[in-house]
Amino acid sequence: METEKLMDEIDLILQTSKAGTMSTSVSPTVSEYMTFCIKDYALYTETEKNSPILSSIGHDPLVHITLGGDEQSDNHLEIVGETEVVTDREIIDWLAQEKGPLTVAADMVMLKIMALKVKLVESSAGVRR
């Protein structure tokens, strides 16, 4: 796939696919199905303060995310990223506007994932999953 088409497909998936799995790099691996908001190529999501995924991220901030493979695109992205807890009030307010007021509940933590590696995985012969 040529570079421009590749970037267009990655952008399509980032703009339209809001749900995917996020797995930690710590053994044993913790995986959760999560919804994401994307801003400036960073992925944002939330989790409970006492969640196993947050505990694992405390030991190793690297996560693996699978996003896409839905009605907007047969293809999907495999993303390796570094996670940090969001404390910036402006970003938290933006997430609350994007996802709703539950994201700012006292028992929730906002996460920012900066992609270190993005791999576009093309579906085989256009077969829908």
Side-chain angles (χ1 to χ4, degrees):
M1 185 180 282
E2 64 187 62
T3 303
E4 188 175 328
K5 282 186 175 181
L6 177 72
M7 292 306 295
D8 288 346
E9 184 65 18
I10 289 171
D11 281 342
L12 173 69
I13 294 169
L14 288 174
Q15 291 172 16
T16 60
S17 298
K18 302 299 180 194
T21 57
M22 185 167 86
S23 304
T24 62
S25 298
V26 176
S27 183
T29 300
V30 177
S31 184
E32 287 186 20
Y33 188 75
M34 306 184 95
T35 57
F36 298 92
C37 292
I38 293 111
K39 182 176 184 177
D40 301 328
Y41 291 98
L43 288 85
Y44 295 88
T45 191
E46 77 281 342
T47 190
E48 293 180 358
K49 284 183 178 177
N50 61 357
S51 71
I53 205 158
L54 189 60
S55 177
S56 292
I57 289 168
H59 292 89
D60 185 348
L62 289 181
V63 294
H64 303 268
I65 297 170
T66 303
L67 198 61
D70 52 27
E71 64 275 355
Q72 301 299 322
S73 174
D74 291 336
N75 304 327
H76 70 272
L77 299 177
E78 293 178 357
I79 301 167
V80 175
E82 190 166 24
T83 306
E84 64 183 55
V85 174
V86 175
T87 57
D88 183 322
R89 189 78 231 165
E90 185 177 321
I91 294 293
I92 292 170
D93 291 343
W94 170 78
L95 278 170
Q97 182 179 1
E98 291 291 311
K99 298 183 94 174
L102 291 179
T103 60
V104 293
D107 61 340
M108 301 300 281
V109 174
M110 306 305 146
L111 302 175
K112 175 182 180 181
I113 302 96
M114 288 301 300
L116 302 173
K117 179 180 175 184
V118 178
K119 178 181 177 184
L120 175 65
V121 179
E122 295 183 87
S123 68
S124 56
V127 175
R128 302 278 312 167
R129 282 181 228 144

